[in-house]
Amino acid sequence: MPTHSDITTGNFTLAPFPHNAAMPTILIADDHPLFREALRHAVARILPDAQLFEADSADALYALVDAQPDADLLLLDLNMPGVQGYGALVHLRALHPQLPVVMVSGREEPAVIRRALEHGAAGFIPKSTDAATIGIALARVLEGERWSPPGLPAAGSIPAEERDVARRLAELTPQQFRVLQMLATGQLNKQIAYALNVSEATIKAHMTAILRKLGANNRTQAVLIAGKLAVDPDSVVPPGEDPDQA
């Protein structure tokens, strides 16, 4: 479940957010408590009065973003279970284009960082980054700039196929996106229906819409297409076909 705390202490080593500006609301989504704590401390360095909300799972993340439509920044773990690589970033940017999203990750390869930025991230913070630099990154993004690790080498754009998948994924409704995520874990229609407390007929209707929007012929193909936005697309394992799928 999302949790909330008001950060009211912290030593300034950077210029703070302007005092005449409304104190921002910062969202943190990461399944590792220790890194959430590290991010809390980094926020406190520049925004001691900021409102901070946290989510430790994908479901909690989506509920939190819906509950905080006026949030100023989301810090999102690239590898949080259920986030599906860049899929959640693309989905959230489509639903909440006003919300800057900064990806955080233990993956630091330039290609991983570049893909996040290409898919709409306002910044990318490696988890090895020290607290002072995290503070600098947050300040830059809150000022409307983009931030990436210093010295990031130049790289080409993402492939056209990946960009097209992102466009198609952005067309999914929140419930369709959730069904697709659950499908990627190998769950059958009846299992997804039970988890979402809806009928199997409803799930089948969602599946029909998902296949149409992604341009897929079956469940396996849908997962492989969406898997183009995984951090490591070649590692995506498609589910088997559901015998109950109409």
Side-chain angles (χ1 to χ4, degrees):
M1 294 292 294
T3 58
H4 166 258
S5 61
D6 290 306
I7 297 179
T8 57
T9 61
N11 297 319
F12 282 100
T13 57
L14 303 169
F17 200 69
H19 288 295
N20 60 352
M23 284 297 101
T25 297
I26 310 296
L27 312 180
I28 295 177
D30 195 298
D31 61 314
H32 294 96
L34 289 178
F35 195 71
R36 290 201 306 274
E37 181 180 2
L39 288 175
R40 286 198 299 271
H41 287 307
V43 171
R45 295 172 67 88
I46 59 168
L47 303 167
D49 298 319
Q51 290 191 95
L52 179 64
F53 295 83
E54 301 177 26
D56 60 4
S57 68
D59 286 344
L61 162 64
Y62 302 130
L64 178 58
V65 173
D66 287 342
Q68 299 294 328
D70 297 322
D72 296 279
L73 178 65
L74 167 63
L75 297 167
L76 175 60
D77 179 11
L78 178 64
N79 297 310
M80 187 167 71
V83 167
Q84 305 292 74
Y86 305 100
L89 169 63
V90 169
H91 180 63
L92 289 170
R93 291 290 297 146
L95 291 177
H96 306 279
Q98 81 289 351
L99 176 63
V101 181
V102 172
M103 304 303 291
V104 294
S105 177
R107 297 287 295 270
E108 302 185 17
E109 302 96 316
V112 171
I113 298 172
R114 285 292 180 189
R115 289 176 72 198
L117 298 175
E118 287 269 352
H119 285 303
F124 189 104
I125 300 175
K127 288 190 174 182
S128 62
T129 305
D130 62 79
T133 304
I134 292 176
I136 292 172
L138 298 184
R140 294 278 176 81
V141 173
L142 287 169
E143 290 169 356
E145 301 178 22
R146 298 181 79 190
W147 190 90
S148 58
L152 181 67
S157 299
I158 58 177
E161 181 184 17
E162 182 175 335
R163 195 179 301 277
D164 182 63
V165 170
R167 179 186 60 78
R168 292 173 181 270
L169 201 66
E171 295 177 357
L172 299 181
T173 67
Q175 194 76 326
Q176 290 166 1
F177 184 74
R178 190 174 181 189
V179 169
L180 178 60
Q181 288 185 306
M182 297 174 77
L183 175 64
T185 67
Q187 296 186 58
L188 303 177
N189 284 355
K190 64 178 63 177
Q191 295 171 312
I192 298 174
Y194 179 81
L196 299 183
N197 194 30
V198 298
S199 68
E200 282 191 62
T202 297
I203 298 303
K204 289 181 178 181
H206 283 318
M207 282 302 311
T208 298
I210 291 169
L211 296 181
R212 175 176 53 80
K213 290 180 179 181
L214 293 185
N217 295 319
N218 52 50
R219 296 159 54 94
T220 297
Q221 193 174 31
V223 170
L224 289 174
I225 290 173
K228 297 292 184 183
L229 297 188
V231 178
D232 297 304
D234 292 339
S235 68
V236 173
V237 178
E241 287 303 310
D242 187 344
D244 294 328
Q245 174 67 35

mmCIF file of all heavy atoms in Angstrom, residues 42-73:
data_model
loop_
_atom_site.group_PDB
_atom_site.id
_atom_site.type_symbol
_atom_site.label_atom_id
_atom_site.label_comp_id
_atom_site.label_asym_id
_atom_site.label_seq_id
_atom_site.Cartn_x
_atom_site.Cartn_y
_atom_site.Cartn_z
ATOM 1 N N ALA A 42 17.736 12.171 0.170
ATOM 2 C CA ALA A 42 18.157 13.053 -0.918
ATOM 3 C C ALA A 42 17.143 14.170 -1.129
ATOM 4 O O ALA A 42 17.508 15.330 -1.354
ATOM 5 C CB ALA A 42 18.335 12.246 -2.205
ATOM 6 N N VAL A 43 15.854 13.841 -1.057
ATOM 7 C CA VAL A 43 14.820 14.864 -1.192
ATOM 8 C C VAL A 43 14.927 15.872 -0.053
ATOM 9 O O VAL A 43 14.788 17.088 -0.256
ATOM 10 C CB VAL A 43 13.424 14.213 -1.228
ATOM 11 C CG1 VAL A 43 12.331 15.275 -1.156
ATOM 12 C CG2 VAL A 43 13.243 13.380 -2.496
ATOM 13 N N ALA A 44 15.192 15.388 1.148
ATOM 14 C CA ALA A 44 15.268 16.266 2.310
ATOM 15 C C ALA A 44 16.377 17.296 2.185
ATOM 16 O O ALA A 44 16.290 18.392 2.762
ATOM 17 C CB ALA A 44 15.475 15.438 3.579
ATOM 18 N N ARG A 45 17.412 16.993 1.427
ATOM 19 C CA ARG A 45 18.536 17.925 1.271
ATOM 20 C C ARG A 45 18.115 19.206 0.569
ATOM 21 O O ARG A 45 18.656 20.279 0.853
ATOM 22 C CB ARG A 45 19.672 17.258 0.494
ATOM 23 C CG ARG A 45 20.323 16.085 1.211
ATOM 24 C CD ARG A 45 21.296 15.358 0.306
ATOM 25 N NE ARG A 45 22.461 16.163 -0.026
ATOM 26 C CZ ARG A 45 23.576 16.210 0.694
ATOM 27 N NH1 ARG A 45 23.679 15.491 1.794
ATOM 28 N NH2 ARG A 45 24.593 16.959 0.329
ATOM 29 N N ILE A 46 17.197 19.103 -0.374
ATOM 30 C CA ILE A 46 16.796 20.295 -1.133
ATOM 31 C C ILE A 46 15.359 20.719 -0.869
ATOM 32 O O ILE A 46 14.997 21.858 -1.135
ATOM 33 C CB ILE A 46 16.983 20.086 -2.652
ATOM 34 C CG1 ILE A 46 16.150 18.903 -3.144
ATOM 35 C CG2 ILE A 46 18.447 19.907 -2.991
ATOM 36 C CD1 ILE A 46 16.067 18.819 -4.653
ATOM 37 N N LEU A 47 14.527 19.801 -0.332
ATOM 38 C CA LEU A 47 13.109 20.086 -0.127
ATOM 39 C C LEU A 47 12.679 19.599 1.252
ATOM 40 O O LEU A 47 11.957 18.614 1.379
ATOM 41 C CB LEU A 47 12.264 19.406 -1.207
ATOM 42 C CG LEU A 47 12.597 19.762 -2.656
ATOM 43 C CD1 LEU A 47 11.910 18.805 -3.612
ATOM 44 C CD2 LEU A 47 12.193 21.190 -2.950
ATOM 45 N N PRO A 48 13.112 20.276 2.313
ATOM 46 C CA PRO A 48 12.827 19.752 3.663
ATOM 47 C C PRO A 48 11.350 19.727 4.027
ATOM 48 O O PRO A 48 10.960 19.030 4.954
ATOM 49 C CB PRO A 48 13.614 20.700 4.579
ATOM 50 C CG PRO A 48 13.793 21.945 3.780
ATOM 51 C CD PRO A 48 13.922 21.506 2.352
ATOM 52 N N ASP A 49 10.508 20.485 3.324
ATOM 53 C CA ASP A 49 9.081 20.507 3.630
ATOM 54 C C ASP A 49 8.239 19.775 2.581
ATOM 55 O O ASP A 49 7.015 19.891 2.583
ATOM 56 C CB ASP A 49 8.589 21.954 3.747
ATOM 57 C CG ASP A 49 9.277 22.707 4.873
ATOM 58 O OD1 ASP A 49 9.454 22.099 5.944
ATOM 59 O OD2 ASP A 49 9.643 23.873 4.668
ATOM 60 N N ALA A 50 8.893 19.059 1.705
ATOM 61 C CA ALA A 50 8.156 18.376 0.636
ATOM 62 C C ALA A 50 7.257 17.288 1.196
ATOM 63 O O ALA A 50 7.558 16.658 2.217
ATOM 64 C CB ALA A 50 9.132 17.768 -0.363
ATOM 65 N N GLN A 51 6.155 17.088 0.524
ATOM 66 C CA GLN A 51 5.298 15.941 0.829
ATOM 67 C C GLN A 51 5.821 14.745 0.045
ATOM 68 O O GLN A 51 6.003 14.842 -1.172
ATOM 69 C CB GLN A 51 3.853 16.223 0.444
ATOM 70 C CG GLN A 51 3.161 17.251 1.312
ATOM 71 C CD GLN A 51 1.678 17.254 1.036
ATOM 72 O OE1 GLN A 51 0.867 16.620 1.706
ATOM 73 N NE2 GLN A 51 1.308 17.980 0.008
ATOM 74 N N LEU A 52 6.030 13.647 0.729
ATOM 75 C CA LEU A 52 6.608 12.451 0.104
ATOM 76 C C LEU A 52 5.657 11.284 0.252
ATOM 77 O O LEU A 52 5.220 10.954 1.358
ATOM 78 C CB LEU A 52 7.952 12.122 0.757
ATOM 79 C CG LEU A 52 8.680 10.890 0.241
ATOM 80 C CD1 LEU A 52 9.065 11.083 -1.226
ATOM 81 C CD2 LEU A 52 9.925 10.622 1.073
ATOM 82 N N PHE A 53 5.325 10.672 -0.871
ATOM 83 C CA PHE A 53 4.462 9.489 -0.878
ATOM 84 C C PHE A 53 5.234 8.336 -1.505
ATOM 85 O O PHE A 53 5.986 8.539 -2.456
ATOM 86 C CB PHE A 53 3.177 9.747 -1.675
ATOM 87 C CG PHE A 53 2.274 10.789 -1.074
ATOM 88 C CD1 PHE A 53 2.489 12.132 -1.310
ATOM 89 C CD2 PHE A 53 1.201 10.419 -0.274
ATOM 90 C CE1 PHE A 53 1.662 13.110 -0.768
ATOM 91 C CE2 PHE A 53 0.361 11.382 0.286
ATOM 92 C CZ PHE A 53 0.591 12.727 0.031
ATOM 93 N N GLU A 54 4.997 7.128 -0.989
ATOM 94 C CA GLU A 54 5.776 5.980 -1.444
ATOM 95 C C GLU A 54 4.879 4.832 -1.875
ATOM 96 O O GLU A 54 3.771 4.659 -1.361
ATOM 97 C CB GLU A 54 6.693 5.485 -0.327
ATOM 98 C CG GLU A 54 7.669 6.526 0.173
ATOM 99 C CD GLU A 54 8.504 6.026 1.336
ATOM 100 O OE1 GLU A 54 8.714 4.792 1.450
ATOM 101 O OE2 GLU A 54 8.946 6.865 2.134
ATOM 102 N N ALA A 55 5.383 4.036 -2.826
ATOM 103 C CA ALA A 55 4.721 2.809 -3.265
ATOM 104 C C ALA A 55 5.784 1.734 -3.388
ATOM 105 O O ALA A 55 6.888 2.007 -3.869
ATOM 106 C CB ALA A 55 4.008 3.024 -4.602
ATOM 107 N N ASP A 56 5.452 0.528 -2.950
ATOM 108 C CA ASP A 56 6.431 -0.567 -2.975
ATOM 109 C C ASP A 56 6.068 -1.671 -3.946
ATOM 110 O O ASP A 56 6.679 -2.737 -3.951
ATOM 111 C CB ASP A 56 6.620 -1.151 -1.574
ATOM 112 C CG ASP A 56 5.332 -1.719 -0.991
ATOM 113 O OD1 ASP A 56 4.299 -1.727 -1.703
ATOM 114 O OD2 ASP A 56 5.352 -2.156 0.177
ATOM 115 N N SER A 57 5.067 -1.427 -4.791
ATOM 116 C CA SER A 57 4.666 -2.417 -5.792
ATOM 117 C C SER A 57 4.036 -1.701 -6.972
ATOM 118 O O SER A 57 3.680 -0.512 -6.878
ATOM 119 C CB SER A 57 3.658 -3.406 -5.191
ATOM 120 O OG SER A 57 2.426 -2.755 -4.917
ATOM 121 N N ALA A 58 3.868 -2.428 -8.067
ATOM 122 C CA ALA A 58 3.273 -1.822 -9.256
ATOM 123 C C ALA A 58 1.831 -1.386 -9.000
ATOM 124 O O ALA A 58 1.426 -0.284 -9.375
ATOM 125 C CB ALA A 58 3.338 -2.794 -10.434
ATOM 126 N N ASP A 59 1.039 -2.239 -8.340
ATOM 127 C CA ASP A 59 -0.350 -1.889 -8.050
ATOM 128 C C ASP A 59 -0.422 -0.645 -7.172
ATOM 129 O O ASP A 59 -1.251 0.247 -7.397
ATOM 130 C CB ASP A 59 -1.059 -3.054 -7.363
ATOM 131 C CG ASP A 59 -1.386 -4.191 -8.320
ATOM 132 O OD1 ASP A 59 -1.343 -3.973 -9.550
ATOM 133 O OD2 ASP A 59 -1.683 -5.304 -7.843
ATOM 134 N N ALA A 60 0.452 -0.584 -6.161
ATOM 135 C CA ALA A 60 0.474 0.586 -5.281
ATOM 136 C C ALA A 60 0.894 1.828 -6.060
ATOM 137 O O ALA A 60 0.396 2.932 -5.806
ATOM 138 C CB ALA A 60 1.408 0.337 -4.103
ATOM 139 N N LEU A 61 1.795 1.661 -7.017
ATOM 140 C CA LEU A 61 2.244 2.785 -7.839
ATOM 141 C C LEU A 61 1.084 3.401 -8.600
ATOM 142 O O LEU A 61 0.871 4.620 -8.560
ATOM 143 C CB LEU A 61 3.321 2.311 -8.814
ATOM 144 C CG LEU A 61 3.609 3.221 -10.027
ATOM 145 C CD1 LEU A 61 4.169 4.554 -9.561
ATOM 146 C CD2 LEU A 61 4.547 2.529 -10.997
ATOM 147 N N TYR A 62 0.320 2.569 -9.313
ATOM 148 C CA TYR A 62 -0.771 3.103 -10.126
ATOM 149 C C TYR A 62 -1.846 3.747 -9.259
ATOM 150 O O TYR A 62 -2.410 4.787 -9.615
ATOM 151 C CB TYR A 62 -1.361 2.002 -11.002
ATOM 152 C CG TYR A 62 -0.332 1.366 -11.915
ATOM 153 C CD1 TYR A 62 -0.173 -0.019 -11.997
ATOM 154 C CD2 TYR A 62 0.515 2.161 -12.675
ATOM 155 C CE1 TYR A 62 0.786 -0.583 -12.813
ATOM 156 C CE2 TYR A 62 1.478 1.604 -13.501
ATOM 157 C CZ TYR A 62 1.619 0.224 -13.560
ATOM 158 O OH TYR A 62 2.581 -0.324 -14.365
ATOM 159 N N ALA A 63 -2.122 3.142 -8.093
ATOM 160 C CA ALA A 63 -3.093 3.736 -7.172
ATOM 161 C C ALA A 63 -2.583 5.072 -6.643
ATOM 162 O O ALA A 63 -3.352 6.042 -6.513
ATOM 163 C CB ALA A 63 -3.359 2.777 -6.010
ATOM 164 N N LEU A 64 -1.302 5.143 -6.362
ATOM 165 C CA LEU A 64 -0.712 6.372 -5.829
ATOM 166 C C LEU A 64 -0.758 7.500 -6.847
ATOM 167 O O LEU A 64 -1.134 8.636 -6.516
ATOM 168 C CB LEU A 64 0.731 6.101 -5.405
ATOM 169 C CG LEU A 64 1.540 7.288 -4.869
ATOM 170 C CD1 LEU A 64 0.854 7.898 -3.653
ATOM 171 C CD2 LEU A 64 2.951 6.842 -4.525
ATOM 172 N N VAL A 65 -0.389 7.221 -8.085
ATOM 173 C CA VAL A 65 -0.399 8.264 -9.120
ATOM 174 C C VAL A 65 -1.822 8.769 -9.353
ATOM 175 O O VAL A 65 -2.042 9.970 -9.535
ATOM 176 C CB VAL A 65 0.225 7.729 -10.424
ATOM 177 C CG1 VAL A 65 0.062 8.743 -11.552
ATOM 178 C CG2 VAL A 65 1.706 7.426 -10.215
ATOM 179 N N ASP A 66 -2.790 7.859 -9.322
ATOM 180 C CA ASP A 66 -4.188 8.274 -9.480
ATOM 181 C C ASP A 66 -4.645 9.144 -8.311
ATOM 182 O O ASP A 66 -5.428 10.080 -8.486
ATOM 183 C CB ASP A 66 -5.098 7.053 -9.598
ATOM 184 C CG ASP A 66 -4.965 6.354 -10.944
ATOM 185 O OD1 ASP A 66 -4.456 6.978 -11.894
ATOM 186 O OD2 ASP A 66 -5.360 5.167 -11.033
ATOM 187 N N ALA A 67 -4.144 8.814 -7.110
ATOM 188 C CA ALA A 67 -4.554 9.545 -5.908
ATOM 189 C C ALA A 67 -3.858 10.895 -5.775
ATOM 190 O O ALA A 67 -4.328 11.761 -5.031
ATOM 191 C CB ALA A 67 -4.273 8.703 -4.665
ATOM 192 N N GLN A 68 -2.752 11.074 -6.490
ATOM 193 C CA GLN A 68 -1.975 12.318 -6.413
ATOM 194 C C GLN A 68 -1.803 12.921 -7.812
ATOM 195 O O GLN A 68 -0.694 12.996 -8.344
ATOM 196 C CB GLN A 68 -0.605 12.039 -5.778
ATOM 197 C CG GLN A 68 -0.651 11.500 -4.367
ATOM 198 C CD GLN A 68 -1.206 12.526 -3.391
ATOM 199 O OE1 GLN A 68 -1.022 13.733 -3.564
ATOM 200 N NE2 GLN A 68 -1.882 12.057 -2.365
ATOM 201 N N PRO A 69 -2.894 13.346 -8.433
ATOM 202 C CA PRO A 69 -2.814 13.833 -9.825
ATOM 203 C C PRO A 69 -1.995 15.111 -9.982
ATOM 204 O O PRO A 69 -1.586 15.441 -11.100
ATOM 205 C CB PRO A 69 -4.283 14.064 -10.191
ATOM 206 C CG PRO A 69 -4.958 14.333 -8.879
ATOM 207 C CD PRO A 69 -4.265 13.443 -7.894
ATOM 208 N N ASP A 70 -1.762 15.831 -8.899
ATOM 209 C CA ASP A 70 -1.016 17.087 -8.983
ATOM 210 C C ASP A 70 0.417 16.946 -8.489
ATOM 211 O O ASP A 70 1.082 17.942 -8.198
ATOM 212 C CB ASP A 70 -1.731 18.172 -8.163
ATOM 213 C CG ASP A 70 -3.110 18.487 -8.708
ATOM 214 O OD1 ASP A 70 -3.272 18.505 -9.945
ATOM 215 O OD2 ASP A 70 -4.036 18.699 -7.904
ATOM 216 N N ALA A 71 0.907 15.704 -8.380
ATOM 217 C CA ALA A 71 2.281 15.484 -7.924
ATOM 218 C C ALA A 71 3.268 16.173 -8.866
ATOM 219 O O ALA A 71 3.010 16.332 -10.061
ATOM 220 C CB ALA A 71 2.580 13.997 -7.836
ATOM 221 N N ASP A 72 4.402 16.581 -8.307
ATOM 222 C CA ASP A 72 5.400 17.314 -9.083
ATOM 223 C C ASP A 72 6.464 16.417 -9.692
ATOM 224 O O ASP A 72 7.136 16.813 -10.648
ATOM 225 C CB ASP A 72 6.082 18.349 -8.191
ATOM 226 C CG ASP A 72 5.115 19.410 -7.709
ATOM 227 O OD1 ASP A 72 4.827 20.343 -8.477
ATOM 228 O OD2 ASP A 72 4.626 19.286 -6.569
ATOM 229 N N LEU A 73 6.639 15.209 -9.160
ATOM 230 C CA LEU A 73 7.721 14.349 -9.642
ATOM 231 C C LEU A 73 7.493 12.923 -9.177
ATOM 232 O O LEU A 73 7.056 12.690 -8.043
ATOM 233 C CB LEU A 73 9.063 14.851 -9.096
ATOM 234 C CG LEU A 73 10.322 14.041 -9.449
ATOM 235 C CD1 LEU A 73 10.585 14.097 -10.952
ATOM 236 C CD2 LEU A 73 11.533 14.573 -8.684
#
